[in-house]
Amino acid sequence: MSRLVVVSNRVGPIDDAKRAGGLAIALVEALKTSGGVWFGWTGEVTPEPDTRLKLESAGPLTLATVDLSADDYEDYYNGFANSSLWPLFHFRTGLVQYDRQNFEGYERVNASFAKTLMPLLQQDDLIWVHDYHFLLFAEELRKLGCTRPIGHFLHIPFPPRELLTTLPHHEQLVKALFAFDILGFQTEHDRDRFFDYVRMEVGGSVLGDKARCFGRTVTARHFPIGIDAATFKEFATSDEGQKQFTSMRDMLRGRKQIIGVDRLDYTKGLPERFNAFERLLEDYPEKRGEVSLLQVAPPSRSEVTEYQDLRADLEGMAGHVNGRFAEFNWTPIRYLNRSFARQALAGLYRASHVGLVTPLRDGMNLVAKEYVAAQDADDPGVLVLSRFAGAAKQLTDAVIVNPYDVQGMADALAQALDMPLDERRQRHQALLKNISEEDIDHWRTTFIAALGSVENAGITGGSIHADRPDRNGNVA
Ligand code: ADQ
C-alpha cells in the first residue's frame, strides 16, 4: 500500500484544544486513519533562515516540520498568501495587496519546502498538497526529479477568471497547477471556474474532467470536504459537551440562542450578521429579551491590518447593539474572542436553537456541518446558511440566505426561531444524512483513490505521465 505524504502550510497542532481552523481540523481527522507523513511549517518564526527539519511521531503519523524565517513569514505568509491570494480567491479584489517582493517570497518558500521534502520521499508515496499556500509546489518537486503522483486540494474558492487575471502572476500560478496530477476543488462551481480560465484565458481545452494546456494534462474534480460526523455527534453528548449544554441552557432560562462560530475573518460576514441580528430586534419587537446571539470568534492572522480593523469594528458593533437593546437581565450579543475544545463546542452548538453561518464567500464551511451533527434529532435547532458557502451546494435543507441582504437574514432568523418541530426534524434528518454520507472519510478516500488511479494510468502508459514535465520542468 502506498504511503501518504501530506503537505500543508501549518502542521497540527494535534492537540484539538489548540486548533481553530478548518484545514487543521480536517487534516488531523483525515490523517488519524490513514497515517503517513505530514510536512509543513512549525508555526515558529526564526530571525534568520533555518531549514533544519524537525521529525516527531504522533501515533501513525510522522510530523516533519520546518521553521520560517522572519522574511519568509512576512513575504510569503502575511504577504502573498494572506494579503494577495486569500482576498482574491474570496472575490475581494478591493482588499488585495500585491507586491513583487511578496511573490518572490512565495516562490522562495515553495522551492525551499520542496527541497526539504524531497529527500524524505519514498518509492511508493502519494503526495497530497493542500491549499493556496503551495500552488507552485508540484512544479518545484518536478524540477527536483519527483515522478510520484501529486495531488492538490484547494480549501478555498477558485475565483472567476476576470478576478484572477487582476493578479500579475496569474498565468504562472495556473501553469504550475498543471504539474499536479489531480486538482481537487470544494464544489463543481470552483472546478468550472478553473476550466473557464483554462479555456478562455490561456487557450487550453477541457474534456470531461481533464484540462489540457501548456503541453500538460491535469484531472480536476470536486471533492466536497466533510467532518467526522459520527465522532462530532458523540462529542455533543460527551461529559464535557453535556456540561456545556446544561450550563448554557440554565443560563438561558427558557430564552432562545443563535450561535455563530468563526475564525475572526472578513470573509465570514460578521458585521453583516450583527446588522441582521440588530434588524431582527428592530423589526420583531417580540424577540427582544427572548433571544440572544452568541458569537464565538477567535482572533486569526492578527498581524494583517484588515483583521485588526475587523476586530475593532465588531467590538464597536456589539457594544452599539447591546447599548441600544440590553436589559439588566438580558444581553443581546455575547461576543467571545476565544477557542473552545471540540467537545465543549459541540455542547454549545447543541444548546443553541439556531446555527447562523453567513460567510460572504467560503470554500466549504465546516461549522455548518458541525452544527448539524451536534443537534438532538428529537428537538433539533435550525441551520441558517449563506448561499455563498460551498456547503450550501450540499446542505439544501438549511434555511438559505444571502448574507448581503440584512433584511432577508433578519426574516430568515425569525422564520428559524419560530419553525415548528415537525419541519425542524425533517430538515435536520435530511442534513444529517448528507453530512454522515459525505463525511471526512469519504473525502479522504475519494481523493486518495483518484490520486492512486493516476499511478495506475501511468503504469499502463496513460497520457498523464507522458505529459509530465521532466526534472528540468520541461514537457514533451
Ligand atoms: P476556515 O476558514 O477556518 O477553513 P471552517 O470550514 O468553518 O473555516 O472551519 C473552521 C473550524 O475551526 C471548524 O472546525 C470550527 O469548529 C473551528 N473553530 C472555529 N472557531 C472555533 C473556536 N472558537 N473554538 C474552537 N474551534 C473553532 C478553511 C476554508 C473553509 C473550509 C475549510 C476546510 O476557509 O471554507 O471549509 O478550510 O476545507
Side-chain angles (χ1 to χ4, degrees):
M1 207 179 110
S2 300
R3 184 178 71 154
L4 184 64
V5 176
V6 164
V7 179
S8 69
N9 172 59
R10 269 305 293 278
V11 169
I14 298 289
D15 174 0
D16 72 31
K18 296 196 186 122
R19 269 179 283 135
L23 189 143
I25 284 164
L27 286 186
V28 170
E29 285 175 359
L31 290 170
K32 70 186 179 199
T33 318
S34 66
V37 175
W38 188 3
F39 171 73
W41 177 34
T42 50
E44 300 294 322
V45 178
T46 53
E48 293 301 321
D50 177 359
T51 52
R52 270 174 301 177
L53 192 65
K54 299 177 184 63
L55 290 173
E56 192 189 327
S57 287
L61 269 181
T62 302
L63 308 181
T65 51
V66 277
D67 296 339
L68 278 181
S69 72
D71 283 349
D72 288 348
Y73 178 68
E74 258 329 295
D75 299 344
Y76 148 82
Y77 181 72
N78 281 336
F80 194 71
N82 284 327
S83 301
S84 303
L85 292 180
W86 177 268
L88 179 67
F89 278 45
H90 286 90
F91 300 25
R92 301 292 290 275
T93 38
L95 296 178
V96 173
Q97 288 168 28
Y98 176 76
D99 179 330
R100 177 171 285 270
Q101 181 181 319
N102 289 345
F103 184 67
E104 286 166 6
Y106 184 81
E107 288 179 301
R108 186 170 67 236
V109 170
N110 271 258
S112 78
F113 273 44
K115 207 166 152 204
T116 309
L117 178 65
M118 192 65 193
L120 294 184
L121 295 178
Q122 296 174 0
Q123 267 305 309
D124 62 347
D125 285 345
L126 296 178
I127 304 157
W128 190 5
V129 180
H130 290 262
D131 229 0
Y132 60 101
H133 310 87
F134 288 132
L135 301 178
L136 305 177
F137 204 82
E139 183 151 79
E140 294 300 332
L141 278 181
R142 300 296 186 214
K143 281 186 204 162
L144 298 168
C146 178
T147 54
R148 299 299 305 156
I150 313 178
H152 184 273
F153 184 77
L154 185 66
H155 289 254
I156 63 175
F158 192 85
R161 94 187 128 87
E162 290 84 350
L163 302 191
L164 185 53
T165 50
T166 62
L167 195 68
H169 293 281
H170 59 91
E171 189 170 332
Q172 185 182 336
L173 290 174
V174 174
K175 184 174 179 196
L177 289 178
F178 278 77
F180 289 98
D181 297 291
I182 301 278
L183 297 178
F185 297 91
Q186 296 276 24
T187 69
E188 220 168 350
H189 279 66
D190 294 303
R191 195 275 306 262
D192 290 348
R193 286 193 286 265
F194 168 71
F195 280 166
D196 181 58
Y197 177 98
V198 169
R199 269 193 299 247
M200 306 305 291
E201 189 61 34
V202 282
S205 61
V206 173
L207 191 62
D209 61 6
K210 295 204 172 18
R212 195 175 171 83
C213 199
F214 310 113
R216 305 177 192 171
T217 302
V218 69
T219 300
R221 290 190 202 147
H222 71 293
F223 299 85
I225 197 167
I227 61 166
D228 182 348
T231 304
F232 205 82
K233 205 161 178 266
E234 285 168 18
F235 284 169
T237 50
S238 65
D239 288 349
E240 181 58 28
Q242 193 61 43
K243 193 174 124 202
Q244 294 290 337
F245 175 86
T246 309
S247 67
M248 184 55 78
R249 282 285 166 104
D250 286 351
M251 194 271 293
L252 289 172
R253 283 183 285 121
R255 292 178 168 130
K256 290 192 171 168
Q257 175 162 275
I258 300 166
I259 192 168
V261 175
D262 309 77
R263 277 184 312 97
L264 191 51
D265 194 296
Y266 53 76
T267 61
K268 302 293 181 184
L270 296 169
E272 292 77 3
R273 196 178 300 175
F274 283 13
N275 282 336
F277 183 68
E278 183 177 21
R279 185 70 63 87
L280 174 79
L281 299 179
E282 274 169 8
D283 286 7
Y284 297 85
E286 71 280 10
K287 302 290 181 216
R288 294 180 200 163
E290 290 304 316
V291 58
S292 54
L293 170 64
L294 171 63
Q295 177 63 54
V296 184
S300 158
R301 303 173 197 166
S302 35
E303 286 168 38
V304 178
T305 321
E306 283 71 26
Y307 289 75
Q308 294 160 4
D309 295 348
L310 174 66
R311 187 170 182 175
D313 288 350
L314 288 171
E315 278 162 14
M317 291 177 81
H320 161 78
V321 175
N322 286 342
R324 186 172 168 203
F325 289 105
E327 301 286 348
F328 69 89
N329 59 352
W330 170 65
T331 307
I333 298 184
R334 273 170 294 117
Y335 173 47
L336 310 182
N337 288 131
R338 55 161 288 196
S339 284
F340 285 91
R342 315 280 304 142
Q343 281 90 341
L345 197 57
L348 293 179
Y349 286 137
R350 193 177 176 95
S352 304
H353 305 80
V354 175
L356 186 54
V357 182
T358 55
L360 302 178
R361 191 64 61 179
D362 215 335
M364 177 55 61
N365 195 293
L366 299 180
V367 169
K369 297 186 172 186
E370 291 166 1
Y371 179 77
V372 171
Q375 296 309 300
D376 173 359
D378 291 333
D379 185 16
V382 179
L383 176 65
V384 176
L385 178 62
S386 161
R387 58 176 295 168
F388 302 122
K393 301 277 177 286
Q394 295 168 290
L395 305 183
T396 49
D397 285 278
V399 175
I400 303 290
V401 293
N402 173 355
Y404 294 95
D405 175 8
V406 168
Q407 182 67 53
M409 278 199 285
D411 295 342
L413 282 174
Q415 178 199 349
L417 289 163
D418 294 338
M419 191 177 283
L421 180 61
D422 273 358
E423 185 179 348
R424 282 192 277 128
R425 281 189 185 150
Q426 268 171 26
R427 285 180 186 257
H428 177 256
Q429 209 177 20
L431 293 171
L432 189 63
K433 182 170 184 296
N434 183 290
I435 63 161
S436 305
E437 285 172 4
E438 300 196 359
D439 67 355
I440 190 80
D441 272 344
H442 180 260
W443 175 71
R444 178 178 51 82
T445 51
T446 50
F447 194 96
I448 293 173
L451 199 51
S453 69
V454 166
E455 182 163 46
N456 298 335
I459 289 163
T460 55
S463 65
I464 299 165
H465 276 61
D467 279 325
R468 191 175 274 167
D470 66 18
R471 62 177 57 237
N472 298 315
N474 299 315
V475 289

